[in-house]
Structures are given as structure tokens and as C-alpha cells.
Amino acid sequence: MTPERWHQITSVFEAALLRGAGERRAFLDAACGGDEGLRREVEAMLASHEEAPDFMAEPAAAVAAGHGGGDGASLAGQSFAHYQVLARLGSGGMGDVYLARDTRLGRKVALKFLPDYLAGDERRASMFTREARAASALNHPNIVTVYDLGEADGRYFIAMEYVEGETLGQRIHRERDPLPKLLNYLRQAAEGLTKAHAAGVVHRDLKPDNVMVTRDGFAKVLDFGLAKQFVPPGGADGGGGSEAATAVLAPQSLPGMVMGTAGYMSPEQAQGRVREIDHRSDIFSFGCILYEAATGRKAFEGADALDSLHKIVHAPTPQIREAIPHAPADLERIVRRCLQKDPEKRYQSIKDVALELEELQQELQRQPAPPRPAPSELNQTGALTGAATKQAAPPAAPTAEAAARPTSSAEYLVGELKRHKTGVIVVAAALILIAVGGAALLLVLTRRDDAGGAQAADGSPVSFGRMRLTRLTTTGRASDATVSPDGKYVAYLNIETRGGPVQDGGTASVWIRQVATGRDIRIVEPDDFIVRGMTFSPDGNYLYYRARKAGEGEWVLRIPALGGDAQKLIRDPFSPISFSPDGKRIAFVRNHSPAVGDSTVIVANADGTGERIVTTHRGAELFATPARPTAPAWSPDGRVLICALGRPNDTLSLLEVQLEGGAERQIGTQRWSNIDSLAWLPDGSGLMLSARDQSSPQSQVWRVAYPSGEAHRVTNDLNEYHGMSLSGDAQTMAVVQSARDTDLWVMPAGRPASEARAVTSGTGKADGSWGISWTPDGKIVYGSNASGNRDIWLLDTERGTQKQLTSDARQNFYPQVTPDGSSILFLSDRGDEFGIWRMDTDGGNPRQLIAATVLRFTISPDGRWLVYSGTGAKGIPALWRARVDGGERVELNNEYWEEHPAVSPDGKQIAFQYFLLGTRGMSIGQIPIEGGPITRIAEPPFRLGPVLRWTPDGKAIAYIDNRGEAGQIYALPAAGGPPRQLTDFKSDSIFWFDFSRDGKQLALARGTQTSDVVLISNFR
């Protein structure tokens, strides 16, 4: 059947359903004419509708009696897989929901079952699966977590997070929370939607009852049952790895279909313009919720569902000030823009709405908010009635109409079932939706190979339905994690103050999470000495971690797993430790001798005694660097260590080292841009690692076969995965998942942050995080992963147009525009190493300038010189100078580890960061461009960000400090003295910045980076 034919059938069916039984025959005579096939199909659908249980509006009494959802008797007391059903929570159109206990992890979950009468229908099962796919791909603290999708005893089920609390609808209408609190919930919901939209998923059924507010005031979006995949703004259409890859959906609906909940649909939804529905449809629905939160009434209240749909399409946008005369003007503006009929006139990103709400919320908290009128004070148009007083009346008892709302998963989870009347439009929409849950969906997405295994269209393995991901933390500030050998506990570092151990200077604490109960215990109080690298002892009784103190050096410490006194064991490690299979020995890396730069793999007793050198590499190659402190991995038979080996800022390889004799062998031919953790599988068949290969902008989890070295990706999305750790049986993996979301901002230099404006927008992108550089005519060249790869882009700030300049499969970043504006220099690994490349400003004529490994580089103001940090004679990053037009390279200094150079405006001095190899103290210094001794300017109390810039007057060096509640730019006087704050932002971090050529403008990459601990299972 063609889509056009199906559209014709469903359109006639929907129209017939709106007519009484006595009118249908005459209507079908006129609508079908002589098309008997059309009539038979419509009459069959009508007959099916009459016979099917009305699961969109089943009586509460039936549910209470245990017969909701057409499921017969309650499943309470039965077990499915490792879930024990405890009690029914509710029933609805796509399934029954039960409270259950996960016997494996000992936690409560909500189990959503596909009803018996739908389980045999492949189309309905496909829709049920689709909801799980859409939701499971979205890992965010403001989205309800989907744990599992399974089938047992012929029943399909989804296991999801059990949330205790109330719906946003209840917070609005029953609890009547003050507006600032409601705005906080909505801002959190918008952050969750930001994540969904970045993954290419539109919710399509946003309403107050699909937003859950937990008992501790945390909002979570749920019920992605109508979710639709789309291409996110700035994203590629179908290519590359992204979070959408696990939630890719073929178009789930056909033109003319009405989907969603009446009163909250966008105009394009209400009119069935399915192909026009994208993330902006959710923004319209969000505006409806925001209006309702402010006024206590629906934005498009109608006498019935049909009347509501008509108002959404044709009625003027409701004005909040008609209901609340003293409502803030900004609130009126935000709602008005969300509710624009034309999607092009709405906000183009839900992230922008979240930022606006945050500012409005802060403003309202500083002043008394006007009371919201009670529903009885409003007439049908939402205006105040004459009886309204300045004080809000107590909420009236809910009427039958107010209580009759569609059932949602949120209501299941709080155990309060609210039923919608048998509204013909809503029933028709639901039935049509279920009817078109195409069996072809999974055929489009997957195919079966000869062995029966699922494969994606490109032939790669599909892990959905096997691999499961569970989020353990929601602070967004985890920086390291390790799972105990028995899988019962996870230790993690939590950054207590911005800056954190990753940036060498924040405050962090060590926590233990009991996985089964969700209980957290802090075993090391917040301090500024904790650094990355934790390991459980094989018996699980102790936790080993790394720390350092000024004047005391760095140590490996041991502490009882549930808290106690820490004991120093090993001095000056440069990596975390790993244990031998019998638990009696440990292995680690120590980097010695700043003059030589040798790197040594050491084995010692578990108590730190009896150190023995296994192998040493001198000069060019290191086993661990500050950016890659990877512990050696001990093979299950205790005979081999696998280490990461490479030059600073160069690619890495896996090296096998025999403990007896020290013989070495490279594992496979794969080269890695980064490896930050290694662990053997217990059967010795291979290793798991969190790493980034040369073709990916993000670190992912990989499996590497042993001894062949063949590598396969385990995760494949837009998140970063770091610090992977395996349980003893390798059934569970703990890893830190992080995501960066940044936009480009421009502001007048030296002016307040209120004058800053975002010049790019979107979600899930890292615009500017990979470098920013101004052109002489005021355009901005920047690095971004918007294409799914690190590429160079050009932004015309006046016109708002963007152009992608690089599009090859390699990594391209850190652009620098030449002073005359004729060329763009950038780093790329399209050669054998991360060298410097040059291209025209339109992206054409690329050619390599420096083939050697380069860490960072800059161009002198006169355009003559390249100054860069690259591998020096001692095998560590040193400062180099080379002519832009080619010629001999000159090493300026190789005394220290030297990086992030910046040439002064007069072209005479180079500012940079440096430190002694084997130490952690960073300093800022300067050196003449001709070379010579280093003049130390300051030793900052934390490791600086990835970029230094001279201020336009040439008197100070500007740098990023992200340690406070918001990232700021500071200027450190080159002649000495305290730093001066240049910006006054109130939120977000800064990841890169650059001054315009005339010094009047400042461009910044601002946004957020969250890092949380997740558990991954069924990944093998």
C-alpha cells in the first residue's frame, strides 16, 4: 500500500469517526464514491475501533478492579526476567505500568508492558519498541532513564526509572507553586529537551503531565511514546556517530495524521502537517505549558478537543497580561515567541528558551511575584473577571472536565490515574497513530545477517536491546570512576568547586555509591589535592587513589572502601595503579628526570614496597603524560602488561610488555589520538579501553581483540567517555560520560556581560571549543563538531551566515587567520601527524606547512613567523619558530614542557605555559621571539585553559578561569602583579576566546560541560 493510499484511508476513517453511527453510511457513500476498496478498508477500521477496548479513556473503576488496558488480571506477584512485579501503577494507550523490583540490582523500577491484545500486532509492538529506542538514547538528568527493553513469556516490556513525586500539572493546579519555582522546573525540562533535540528526537506530546517533579524538586521529561526523529540543527543527515544513532526512526506518521494531546499541539501537528514537524513543534508545546504555569489556564482552552485544535490553528496568540496585568514583560515576550504560529518565527532552539527562563527566574527571585489568579477568576478567554481580587483565591475543587485529561506515564509513576473523556479527536488520533506504527520500521533500520544477528544499514553491529546504560550520578561534576570487582560499589570523584581536579586546582571529594540501594557515602572530604586515578583492591576492601600536596609531592594513597584513615603508599606516580590478578602486586608509570624525560613502567608489592622496573623508554616516547595518565593493564595470567605508548600530543599505540624479560610488541596497527584507561577481559580475549581514534572527535569505549589488536567501537554517540573500569566478571562497566554544549558569543571588549550576544545557537554542538580567530573584516573562523567531526567554519556575524570550510574525514581545529586575512592556518591529522596546514579563506587550496607534531601554534602580528609548541629534542613539547612561507625551524627553548604560545602585539615576546616534567606546577612565562632565557611572570593556582592571548594593549596576558560559578577571562600583567577580571558572566563556562583585530570585540565559546558516572552492561 502506498503512503498516498494510506493517507486517503486514514483521512476518511478519521472524518467518519467524527460522525454519529446514523450519519456514517451517507458520509461514506459521498466520501468513497465508487471506490469499494477504500470503503472496505475504512469500514474494517471502524469495526476494529468498535471492538477494541477504549484504552485512551478506560474507566477508573475497571483499572481499580485490575482490568485496565485490556490486560485481564493484574500481573502483581509475577516475575519477568529479573524483575518482580509488585503492584499496578496505571494503564494507558501504549501499555500497563507496574511498580517492580529489579532483583539483580535491588532497586525499584517502573515496568511498562504492552497489553496482551496488542502484543500480537507487529505494528503496535514496533511503536512500543520505538518509545524505548527514543527514550533510551537520551541520557540526561532531566529525562527519565530507560534501563531495559525486553520480552519474557510473550510479553514486551520497558524497564524505566521509578520516579516518586508529582506531575508539573499537579504543581501548577493543586499545589499552586509560585512562578519562580515553576520556571525552575520548566528550565530543567527545557534542558532535557535540549538533549533530546540534539539527538534528533522530537517529543511531540509535551504537556504538564509528561513532566515529573521529584520530591527533591528535580524536573524530568518522560513519555517519548510519540517521539519522532529529525535531523538536528546543524547536524548531518544520517551520517556519523551520534546519540541519534541508537534512536534513528523512519518517519512514523503520514500526512494528515493528528498526533499529540489536544490543547498542547503545535499548529503543524493540529493540521496533520507531519513533514513540517521538527524540534520547533516542541517549543510551541512548551510555550503552552509556560502560559499555563503563569496563568493557571490552558493557552488554547476549548469546549472540546476539536475546539482546542481550531484555536491552536486560527485563534490569536493568548496574552498573559490579559490574565495577569502585572506579569513581567519578559515572560510575556518569551511565551509570545514560543507560541508563534509560524515555526520560523519561534525560538529556533529550546536551549535559548532555557537561558531566557533562567534569567527571568533570577529576576523574579529578587522581587515579589504577583499572585496567579485562581481558575475561578478567569473567564473563557483567560481574562480576569470582575470578581477577581488582588489576592489569589484558594483553588477550586476540580471539575469533571478539569479532571478528565489523557493518561500519561507521569501519572502512572505517581499512582494517580486521570482519564480523558472519550473525545473523538483524541481517540481517533491515538488509533491512527497505533495503526501506522509500521512493521517496516525495523526493516528499514536493521536487517538480519545469515547468522541471525541484527545489523545497521551500513553493516555495523546494532547493540540496542543488549547494551544497557544506567546513570549513577546527576551532579554533572564527576571526573573519575571505578567499579568494585563484585560490581556492588562504584567510587567516583565529584568536583565540589568549578575547576576541579581535571583542571588542577579545584576542590574534589571521593564518594562511594552502593549500586543496589543508590546510597552515597563520602569517604574523602573536599580538598584541592585529589587527582584522577582510582582503583579498588581485588577483594574490594580498599580504594587506592592519587593525591598531591604542595611540598609533599604526589602519592598513591589507600583508604578503606567505606571510609577511614588514608595511608600513603607510593611516591611520585605519574599514572593510576593496576592490580595483578592475585592482588599481590601493582603496576604504574613513573616519569623521571626533567633533563632526560624517561618514562618507566614499575611493578611493586600491593603495599608499595619492592619496586621493580619492568621497562623504560627515554626521550621521544612516554607511557603517561599529564593529559593521558593511563595505568598499565595486567593480563589475567599475570604475565603481560599492556601499556599506552606515544609522544606528547602525538598518536598512541598499545604496547605489550612481558613482565619477565621486558620483551615488547605492538598490539595491532591502530593508532589512537588518546587512551585514558585500559582493562583486560577476564578470559584474556581482549581489552576494553576508553579512547579516541584518529577518525572521531570524541573519546568512546572500544574493545580490542588480543593478540590481533583488531578494534571495535562499543559506544558511538556525541558524548565523551572517560575513565572506563570493569567489574571482576566484566559484566559491568563504570565510565564517566561527558558532553559539551557551547555557542559563539560576541561582546564589546571591556563592557558588561549583559552586552554579550550569542551569534550561533543550537544544541549538542561545541561551537568555538576547538578554536576561534577573527578575520580583518570582522568575520569569525572557528572550530566546531557540528558536522559530527572537528571541522573549521566561517561565520559572518553581520549576516548570521555560516560556512563549513573543511569537510574531509580527518580532524581539523584550532584555526588562526593570517594578519592579512588571505589564509587560514589550522591543525589537522590528515597527514601522518598533527601538523599545521594552510588553506584559503574559502576553504580551498589546502597544503601542509609543518609536518612535525604540533600541540598549539600562533602567528606573529607581522605575519612572518609561526610560533608553536611541538615535540622537541628531548621528546617533550618545546617552543619552536618557523617562517610562515617555509624555511628552517628553530627550537627556542627545550628546558621545560612548554605549550600554549601567544606572540605579543609588538611581535617581540612570546607568552606561554610551562612546567618541569615529573612535576605538576604550571607557570606563565615569556621569552623573546629570537629565543633566550625565560622570564617567569606568575604561577597560577590552577592549570590554565587551552588558550592564552595578549590583551590588545600588549600589557597583559589573558586567560580563562572556570573555577567560579561562571567562567571568566582574566588579564595577568606581563610586568607582574595580580590578575584583573575582564568579564562578569553569571553562568556557563568559557572554553576559548579571541580579541578582534582592532581590540574592540571579544569572541568567546561559552556553554556547559557535564560529566556523570554511568554503568554499562550487556556490552560484550
Side-chain angles (χ1 to χ4, degrees):
M1 183 182 297
T2 66
E4 290 75 18
R5 181 63 168 178
W6 180 249
H7 169 48
Q8 183 184 20
I9 293 170
T10 55
S11 297
V12 174
F13 164 73
E14 179 181 355
L17 197 63
L18 295 175
R19 288 161 170 78
E23 302 174 349
R24 287 180 185 166
R25 180 179 296 276
F27 169 78
L28 291 175
D29 289 339
C32 299
D35 190 340
E36 292 301 318
L38 172 62
R39 184 168 190 136
R40 284 195 301 272
E41 292 286 352
V42 173
E43 287 179 340
M45 292 179 70
L46 288 169
S48 176
H49 164 61
E50 296 294 340
E51 296 169 2
D54 185 3
F55 50 76
M56 287 296 289
E58 57 192 74
V63 177
H67 300 285
D71 188 49
S74 172
L75 301 177
Q78 299 184 40
S79 293
F80 296 86
H82 55 281
Y83 300 104
Q84 182 181 12
V85 178
L86 302 177
R88 169 178 263 150
L89 294 174
S91 303
M94 284 307 296
D96 299 339
V97 180
Y98 287 80
L99 174 64
R101 181 177 179 273
D102 184 338
T103 58
R104 181 178 295 171
L105 297 178
R107 63 183 174 190
K108 291 181 179 179
V109 298
L111 282 188
K112 187 172 185 177
F113 287 88
L114 186 65
D116 279 345
Y117 69 89
L118 298 179
D121 189 316
E122 188 176 4
R123 293 175 298 177
R124 288 163 169 84
S126 175
M127 285 187 59
F128 189 81
T129 302
R130 190 190 75 213
E131 178 179 356
R133 283 180 178 268
S136 67
L138 307 175
N139 181 31
H140 192 274
N142 297 120
I143 297 177
V144 165
T145 303
V146 169
Y147 298 134
D148 194 9
L149 170 67
E151 186 268 336
D153 298 333
R155 288 183 173 273
Y156 293 92
F157 64 86
I158 301 172
M160 53 188 169
E161 182 181 1
Y162 176 69
V163 183
E164 295 182 282
E166 297 174 297
T167 68
L168 181 61
Q170 291 169 327
R171 304 301 304 186
I172 294 172
H173 298 287
R174 189 180 71 188
E175 304 298 331
R176 296 190 55 77
D177 283 347
L179 185 57
K181 183 177 288 188
L182 294 175
L183 291 179
N184 184 47
Y185 301 149
L186 283 164
R187 178 190 59 78
Q188 294 179 38
E191 294 291 351
L193 290 169
T194 296
K195 185 70 171 182
H197 292 173
V201 176
V202 188
H203 191 287
R204 296 207 296 182
D205 195 23
L206 284 177
K207 53 189 174 184
D209 291 330
N210 275 342
V211 178
M212 190 73 194
V213 180
T214 66
R215 291 180 177 177
D216 56 357
F218 211 67
K220 291 176 176 283
V221 182
L222 62 162
D223 217 348
F224 280 79
L226 300 185
K228 172 182 182 291
Q229 188 264 346
F230 77 110
V231 178
D237 189 1
S242 70
E243 205 168 327
T246 56
V248 169
L249 305 172
Q252 295 90 30
S253 47
L254 296 173
M257 294 179 56
V258 179
M259 292 184 169
T261 300
Y264 301 97
M265 296 184 195
S266 65
E268 53 269 30
Q269 282 180 286
Q271 292 177 301
R273 306 198 314 264
V274 173
R275 292 190 176 92
E276 299 177 31
I277 295 174
D278 60 15
H279 63 291
R280 296 171 297 183
S281 182
D282 281 351
I283 293 175
F284 186 96
S285 302
F286 190 89
C288 294
I289 302 174
L290 183 55
Y291 179 95
E292 188 171 345
T295 66
R297 288 193 68 88
K298 291 183 178 180
F300 299 97
E301 186 74 65
D304 52 32
L306 190 60
D307 189 29
S308 290
L309 294 177
H310 183 271
K311 288 183 177 180
I312 286 172
V313 176
H314 300 290
T317 300
Q319 304 298 308
I320 287 181
R321 289 196 174 186
E322 292 179 2
I324 308 176
H326 302 292
D330 284 344
L331 177 61
E332 178 83 37
R333 174 181 55 79
I334 296 169
V335 172
R336 183 172 61 249
R337 189 171 175 189
C338 286
L339 294 181
Q340 291 292 320
K341 310 288 186 184
D342 183 356
E344 295 295 330
K345 296 181 179 180
R346 295 174 204 153
Y347 289 100
Q348 299 301 293
S349 164
I350 193 68
K351 178 66 174 180
D352 294 338
V353 182
L355 292 173
E356 296 247 31
L357 290 180
E358 183 176 21
E359 293 180 6
L360 177 60
Q361 178 192 352
Q362 293 171 353
E363 182 64 27
L364 291 177
Q365 288 174 339
R366 292 191 289 267
Q367 60 187 28
R372 291 190 298 125
S376 58
E377 298 173 348
L378 297 169
N379 59 28
Q380 286 298 314
T381 66
L384 285 170
T385 64
T389 64
K390 293 183 179 180
Q391 298 297 323
T399 63
E401 181 179 359
R405 297 196 304 273
T407 304
S408 68
S409 292
E411 291 167 306
Y412 302 160
L413 302 183
V414 297
E416 294 191 12
L417 303 177
K418 299 180 179 180
R419 294 290 174 255
H420 196 286
K421 291 181 177 179
T422 313
V424 289
I425 287 290
V426 178
V427 174
L431 287 171
I432 297 171
L433 171 65
I434 291 174
V436 301
L441 173 61
L442 294 181
L443 295 177
V444 173
L445 297 175
T446 63
R447 59 182 172 84
R448 290 282 168 184
D449 58 18
D450 294 337
Q455 290 183 319
D458 64 0
S460 60
V462 175
S463 60
F464 175 78
R466 297 190 299 272
M467 190 173 76
R468 287 180 287 178
L469 186 148
T470 304
R471 185 173 57 251
L472 291 189
T473 68
T474 57
T475 66
R477 293 186 173 186
S479 68
D480 193 21
T482 185
V483 62
S484 62
D486 59 10
K488 294 181 179 180
Y489 296 93
V490 171
Y492 64 94
L493 290 185
N494 190 68
I495 303 172
E496 303 289 341
T497 60
R498 291 166 63 98
V502 176
Q503 285 78 27
D504 293 345
T507 300
S509 54
V510 180
W511 292 75
I512 298 289
R513 159 68 65 94
Q514 188 176 15
V515 175
T517 66
R519 183 188 178 200
D520 289 291
I521 304 172
R522 186 162 64 190
I523 63 171
V524 179
E525 294 299 312
D527 209 330
D528 60 359
F529 64 89
I530 304 169
V531 295
R532 213 197 122 239
M534 296 186 297
T535 311
F536 275 101
S537 60
D539 59 12
N541 292 330
Y542 292 94
L543 181 72
Y544 290 67
Y545 66 99
R546 296 160 64 216
R548 67 173 178 275
K549 281 281 192 178
E552 299 181 15
E554 186 164 307
W555 289 83
V556 171
L557 294 92
R558 181 176 65 185
I559 189 172
L562 297 181
D565 294 331
Q567 176 188 6
K568 293 180 179 178
L569 296 183
I570 300 170
R571 182 161 189 159
D572 295 332
F574 217 83
S575 78
I577 66 164
S578 65
F579 275 92
S580 61
D582 59 9
K584 296 179 179 180
R585 293 179 292 171
I586 57 176
F588 62 95
V589 173
R590 177 179 289 141
N591 289 344
H592 300 271
S593 178
V596 178
D598 55 338
S599 184
T600 302
V601 176
I602 297 174
V603 169
N605 296 325
D607 61 2
T609 62
E611 289 188 12
R612 178 176 70 86
I613 294 176
V614 178
T615 186
T616 297
H617 279 239
R618 290 183 170 84
E621 294 182 312
L622 302 174
F623 290 108
T625 71
R628 300 183 281 229
T630 311
W634 214 307
S635 65
D637 62 8
R639 298 178 180 179
V640 171
L641 291 174
I642 300 294
C643 308
L645 180 69
R647 298 182 179 185
N649 202 50
D650 194 3
T651 57
L652 300 164
S653 60
L654 292 176
L655 188 72
E656 173 189 288
V657 180
Q658 297 287 336
L659 274 96
E660 298 301 327
E664 298 179 358
R665 181 179 72 91
Q666 182 174 321
I667 303 298
T669 59
Q670 177 89 333
R671 303 294 294 182
W672 306 90
S673 297
N674 181 61
I675 300 173
D676 68 21
S677 59
L678 296 164
W680 279 85
L681 294 170
D683 60 3
S685 63
L687 300 100
M688 305 298 297
L689 57 155
S690 50
R692 179 166 63 86
D693 71 340
Q694 292 179 275
S695 64
S696 173
Q698 288 89 22
S699 176
Q700 300 287 319
V701 177
W702 294 75
R703 177 173 178 170
V704 175
Y706 180 83
S708 69
E710 183 179 359
H712 298 279
R713 199 190 310 258
V714 175
T715 61
N716 187 19
D717 55 44
L718 290 176
N719 297 303
E720 294 257 6
Y721 294 88
H722 298 284
M724 179 275 312
S725 166
L726 291 180
S727 60
D729 58 5
Q731 296 301 308
T732 302
M733 175 196 305
V735 64
V736 174
Q737 181 192 69
S738 63
R740 183 177 292 183
D741 189 351
T742 61
D743 291 319
L744 277 178
W745 291 70
V746 173
M747 64 182 294
R751 299 295 298 167
S754 58
E755 299 186 27
R757 60 188 178 94
V759 291
T760 67
S761 63
T763 55
K765 299 186 299 180
D767 286 350
S769 288
W770 309 112
I772 298 173
S773 182
W774 289 84
T775 66
D777 59 353
K779 297 182 177 66
I780 298 176
V781 178
Y782 65 99
S784 174
N785 64 352
S787 65
N789 189 64
R790 290 180 187 170
D791 277 307
I792 309 298
W793 292 69
L794 174 67
L795 170 69
D796 187 328
T797 57
E798 295 298 324
R799 298 181 180 179
T801 57
Q802 297 163 272
K803 179 182 179 181
Q804 185 176 339
L805 301 181
T806 61
S807 58
D808 63 305
R810 311 307 293 180
Q811 305 302 311
N812 310 286
F813 48 95
Y814 301 156
Q816 290 275 299
V817 181
T818 56
D820 62 4
S822 64
S823 302
I824 300 170
L825 277 60
F826 59 98
L827 290 190
S828 179
D829 64 347
R830 61 182 73 187
D832 294 333
E833 300 175 285
F834 276 97
I836 300 177
W837 286 68
R838 183 173 189 160
M839 64 181 174
D840 299 339
T841 52
D842 63 358
N845 195 26
R847 55 203 182 278
Q848 191 167 27
L849 295 182
I850 303 293
T853 300
V854 175
L855 187 66
R856 296 285 193 278
F857 76 96
T858 188
I859 307 171
S860 64
D862 60 8
R864 295 174 58 200
W865 300 106
L866 274 174
V867 176
Y868 65 92
S869 171
T871 305
K874 295 181 179 179
I876 60 175
L879 289 186
W880 293 77
R881 189 188 72 227
R883 293 191 65 89
V884 172
D885 56 2
E888 184 181 3
R889 300 184 298 135
V890 177
E891 188 173 7
L892 299 177
N893 190 287
N894 59 18
E895 184 178 357
Y896 302 97
W897 184 296
E898 300 156 356
E899 54 189 30
H900 307 332
V903 180
S904 60
D906 62 8
K908 296 180 179 180
Q909 295 289 321
I910 304 169
F912 62 101
Q913 294 183 60
Y914 65 96
F915 68 96
L916 281 173
L917 187 65
T919 69
R920 298 287 179 165
M922 298 290 300
S923 294
I924 298 178
Q926 59 181 328
I927 187 174
I929 197 167
E930 296 84 8
I934 295 174
T935 301
R936 182 174 174 275
I937 298 174
E939 183 177 338
F942 64 101
R943 187 171 185 180
L944 301 181
V947 57
L948 297 181
R949 290 283 186 265
W950 286 83
T951 55
D953 60 10
K955 295 181 179 180
I957 297 101
Y959 61 89
I960 299 170
D961 185 345
N962 279 322
R963 292 178 299 162
E965 289 305 313
Q968 310 293 352
I969 305 294
Y970 283 82
L972 181 69
R980 176 171 56 92
Q981 186 171 335
L982 300 183
T983 61
D984 62 344
F985 292 106
K986 302 299 187 293
S987 64
D988 290 343
S989 297
I990 299 174
F991 299 96
W992 205 277
F993 71 99
D994 192 32
F995 293 99
S996 62
R997 296 304 175 92
D998 60 9
K1000 295 180 180 180
Q1001 298 287 314
L1002 182 62
L1004 311 100
R1006 295 182 61 236
T1008 59
Q1009 177 160 319
T1010 58
S1011 297
D1012 280 301
V1013 182
V1014 296
L1015 281 184
I1016 301 178
S1017 58
N1018 289 0
F1019 52 85
R1020 298 179 61 183

